[in-house]
Amino acid sequence: MTEIDWSLDGYDYELPPEYIAQNPAVPRDSSRLLVVDSPSSHQNRIFRDLPDLLEPGDLLVLNNTRVLPARLYGHKPNGPAVEILLMEERQHNCWLALVKPGKRLKLGAKIEFDPIAPPSDDSAAAPCCCLPQTEVLARRLTATVIERDEATGGRLLEFDIPTDTTLTKFLDEYGHVPLPPYIDSSQAAPEQYQTVYADRPGAVAAPTAGLHFTEELFGRLQERGIEKTFVTLHVGVGTFRPVEVEDVTTHQMHQEWVEVPAATVEKIRSTRARGGRIFAVGTTAVRALEGAAAASGDFSLQPFCGQTNLFVYPGYKWRVVDGIITNFHLPRSTLMMMVSAMIGRPRLLDLYREAIEERYRFYSFGDAMLILPTAKKD
């Protein structure tokens, strides 16, 4: 390790804007795949080649979180428009949210929300006594700012709904799937920002390395003897919160909710016992597995359900993960630092430069990278 490996400036690179993917590849597994197969070599392949690049007995660990329709639009009573992005539920129906414009939302401020689409006929234009309570409520949903969160600059919002129900039951009616801000001209349908195996609602951003998989590809992987299993990490502010300190070792990761079930732990153990390798699909799967190991006390992988704030950067000792499937990440991000912990920062920057020269597509809807165990930095 050198000092620059722990310096924020060491993770900077220039990306022409036209390399930021605005739409996903169709079909999903037609995206490109940069295969890092040694400390000094790589291949340019297609994601559907994955079964030929892994070995029988290998195990893929995927994050099955599902993105919530977490972007909401509303307004102050008789006032200006407000946009919020739900980040995590802190207490029952009390959510941490990023808000715009924040300076107008002081403590005690009220926000009113409207359904996504207006009623289709005049008879439904206003609530009436014969409507179920949830339908009446959905037309009047409000929230109150009860606290400012110093760590994120966000607000804690208390939603005015009965205690026997939850906000998530109303999100389909008036929430929007939140694409990242650098995707500003996309024609993608909301379901294209979900993995095909997403079934645990709770994330505010997709585990994007998983977007490349199709059911057909899973079938071919199974035929080759490559198995899969699942963890859950509800992607929140911790994954994409910017690093604001020059010494990255002093950066504090925000906590995110993780579940590594007993069945997954057992599958990993049996894979290890037969000599197979563990591939984390995405940086969130890495955090889930390595975070669970860190929580065990002796760094052995045990079933885990709770919060993790694990931050992986160069010098990290890997406990569970042998290889990673990941996308190309934003400059100066904790995600770049995590991948650097596996192959080294200079190597990663060289690969990013080559990917730009080869016109790979970057970020959430972009192409992927497969890091094989043979490419790991000692």
Side-chain angles (χ1 to χ4, degrees):
M1 299 295 113
T2 63
E3 188 172 330
I4 191 68
D5 291 319
W6 296 301
S7 168
L8 183 59
D9 289 340
Y11 296 89
D12 215 350
Y13 69 93
E14 293 291 331
L15 181 70
E18 61 269 24
Y19 288 71
I20 301 174
Q22 296 297 310
N23 292 288
V26 178
R28 293 170 181 252
D29 59 5
S30 66
S31 58
R32 298 175 70 188
L33 180 65
L34 191 152
V35 182
V36 189
D37 51 13
S38 83
S40 59
S41 64
H42 69 275
Q43 308 171 43
N44 295 306
R45 304 288 291 267
I46 302 297
F47 200 87
R48 66 170 67 99
D49 295 338
L50 189 62
D52 300 325
L53 299 165
L54 302 180
E55 297 177 0
D58 286 344
L59 178 67
L60 296 173
V61 183
L62 305 109
N63 182 6
N64 62 5
T65 190
R66 185 171 180 84
V67 183
L68 294 170
R71 193 180 303 281
L72 310 177
Y73 298 94
H75 56 86
K76 295 178 68 176
N78 302 315
V82 174
E83 176 185 338
I84 76 168
L85 176 63
L86 301 173
M87 301 304 297
E88 62 183 34
E89 189 174 29
R90 290 285 180 87
Q91 302 170 38
H92 184 63
N93 291 330
C94 288
W95 283 73
L96 173 65
L98 302 182
V99 300
K100 292 195 302 188
K103 62 183 179 181
R104 294 178 178 172
L105 292 175
K106 307 198 182 296
L107 295 186
K110 285 270 189 183
I111 308 172
E112 298 178 352
F113 300 99
D114 301 312
I116 293 174
S120 58
D121 58 77
D122 292 338
S123 65
C128 69
C129 61
C130 60
L131 285 174
Q133 177 61 31
T134 54
E135 293 187 30
V136 174
L137 179 64
R139 289 168 169 76
R140 299 177 179 171
L141 185 67
T142 63
T144 304
V145 179
I146 62 172
E147 188 178 322
R148 186 181 189 278
D149 184 68
E150 297 298 331
T152 62
R155 303 291 189 276
L156 190 64
L157 304 181
E158 183 177 60
F159 284 85
D160 304 317
I161 55 180
T163 56
D164 60 352
T165 189
T166 64
L167 174 64
T168 55
K169 292 183 178 179
F170 300 100
L171 291 182
D172 285 339
E173 184 170 352
Y174 59 90
H176 302 256
V177 172
L179 294 179
Y182 48 77
I183 299 178
D184 56 14
S185 59
S186 181
Q187 288 78 52
E191 200 60 26
Q192 290 179 282
Y193 193 57
Q194 306 278 9
T195 64
V196 297
Y197 47 83
D199 65 0
R200 298 287 301 276
V204 300
T208 55
L211 296 178
H212 307 281
F213 285 87
T214 64
E215 294 296 350
E216 180 185 6
L217 180 58
F218 279 130
R220 292 176 51 228
L221 287 163
Q222 185 176 14
E223 289 174 1
R224 185 160 160 75
I226 299 160
E227 298 187 3
K228 68 180 185 295
T229 190
F230 296 98
V231 295
T232 305
L233 184 144
H234 290 325
V235 187
V237 68
T239 293
F240 53 86
R241 182 183 175 196
V243 180
E244 298 175 339
V245 291
E246 184 54 38
D247 179 357
V248 302
T249 66
T250 65
H251 174 70
Q252 295 296 310
M253 290 289 290
H254 195 81
Q255 290 191 330
E256 291 172 309
W257 187 86
V258 170
E259 182 177 7
V260 179
T264 293
V265 173
E266 180 54 38
K267 209 156 195 178
I268 289 172
R269 289 174 180 167
S270 62
T271 298
R272 283 257 187 264
R274 65 172 181 264
R277 304 171 300 175
I278 311 303
F279 285 85
V281 177
T283 55
T284 60
V286 172
R287 281 195 80 199
L289 293 172
E290 297 290 331
S296 70
D298 61 359
F299 293 99
S300 64
L301 183 64
Q302 303 292 336
F304 177 74
C305 184
Q307 301 280 344
T308 184
N309 63 352
L310 181 69
F311 178 25
V312 178
Y313 54 85
Y316 178 78
K317 183 177 179 181
W318 295 90
R319 314 287 180 175
V320 183
V321 175
D322 298 314
I324 302 176
I325 298 173
T326 187
N327 281 20
F328 295 93
H329 303 295
L330 274 73
R332 304 165 72 90
S333 65
T334 61
L335 308 181
M336 282 192 71
M337 297 165 196
M338 176 185 288
V339 181
S340 294
M342 180 160 281
I343 61 174
R345 184 193 59 83
R347 174 73 167 134
L348 180 66
L349 291 176
D350 285 344
L351 289 166
Y352 272 42
R353 281 190 287 269
E354 294 193 36
I356 292 170
E357 290 176 5
E358 295 288 338
R359 305 187 69 83
Y360 274 74
R361 302 162 73 244
F362 276 58
Y363 304 163
S364 297
F365 280 148
D367 297 317
M369 176 187 292
L370 167 63
I371 300 174
L372 294 169
T374 49
K376 250 183 174 179
K377 181 179 174 64
D378 294 330

